[in-house]
Amino acid sequence: MICHHVTVRQGQARATAANRERYAGDEVAGYQRDPYHRRRIELAVDLLATGLAAGSVVADLGAGGGQNSLLLARRGLIPVACDIVPAARQHGLLTVGLDAGGHLPFRDGALAGVLAGEIIEHVYDPALLLRECRRVLRPGGVLVLTTPNLAAAQDRLRFLVGRAPRQVDPFHEYLYLHIRPFTYSLLAHGLRIAGLVPARPLSNYVVWRTRFGELRSGWAARRWPTLGGSLAVAAVRPAQNGSSTGTACTSPR
């Protein structure tokens, strides 16, 4: 058992170091300029904002420079921008330094919501992440996840003809960091194990990649979200008696 815990810590440390090197600088901010990622972010922010009352405190995991946190603030929420190296202070946001692959520095039941955009596929132990998100959520609180879809339309056909899905390419310039790929059914299963109740997924675009460029359909993603390129899933911590209250975080910066 001791060896297992050591292996988990070592694996997460390596994953953290690799992601920190890749996503330093303006990488995350660039998502807002890409229509594919901008649509994913809009879906996630809308899921969280429509499920919570104005003034609710929410953690934005992997916040980078705080661009998504600012969107949450514009929707009336109080975001806490969380990242390994907090870079969101420049926007006047409350920031917390943390590694999303480990234990979250928030008290039990302290948060109304958590946004984990494109995080879960990067962590060594996704079950721990989901358990931690449930722990820090108050009863009735909402977790919103986005993650690349392992079973996107084109990747299903690729697998049928003996080709690996795009999301499990260990030689790609950044996809090699996606060490835990998910389908919706697998993600929903993990959420339920963690004690959360997942909702129906949403997706940004169904994508077909060719050597001449990409074809994207928002209509198809709305009709068949489990075929889309990125999944957006909301999950609720079930309501119960004796919900926790108090200061949201134990180590604000």
Side-chain angles (χ1 to χ4, degrees), residues 53-66:
S56 296
V57 178
V58 300
D60 177 14
L61 304 184

Side-chain angles (χ1 to χ4, degrees), residues 23 31 36-37 39-41 43-44 47 115-123 126 129-130 143-152 155 166-167 175 177-188 191 201-205 209 225-234:
Y23 291 103
Y31 289 156
Y36 177 88
H37 287 289
R39 177 59 181 157
R40 165 184 65 79
I41 294 166
L43 288 171
L47 280 172
L115 175 61
E118 309 297 275
I119 293 293
I120 194 168
E121 70 273 12
H122 291 273
V123 301
L129 172 62
L130 296 181
L143 165 65
V144 174
L145 295 156
T146 73
T147 189
N149 184 11
L150 179 63
D155 284 327
R166 182 172 180 267
Q167 293 301 326
L175 293 176
L177 293 169
H178 293 185
I179 59 176
R180 297 289 187 245
F182 287 89
T183 63
Y184 169 67
S185 61
L186 180 59
L187 184 59
L191 287 163
L202 300 177
S203 186
N204 51 353
Y205 295 101
R209 294 176 175 85
T226 58
L227 297 179
S230 186
L231 300 170
V233 181

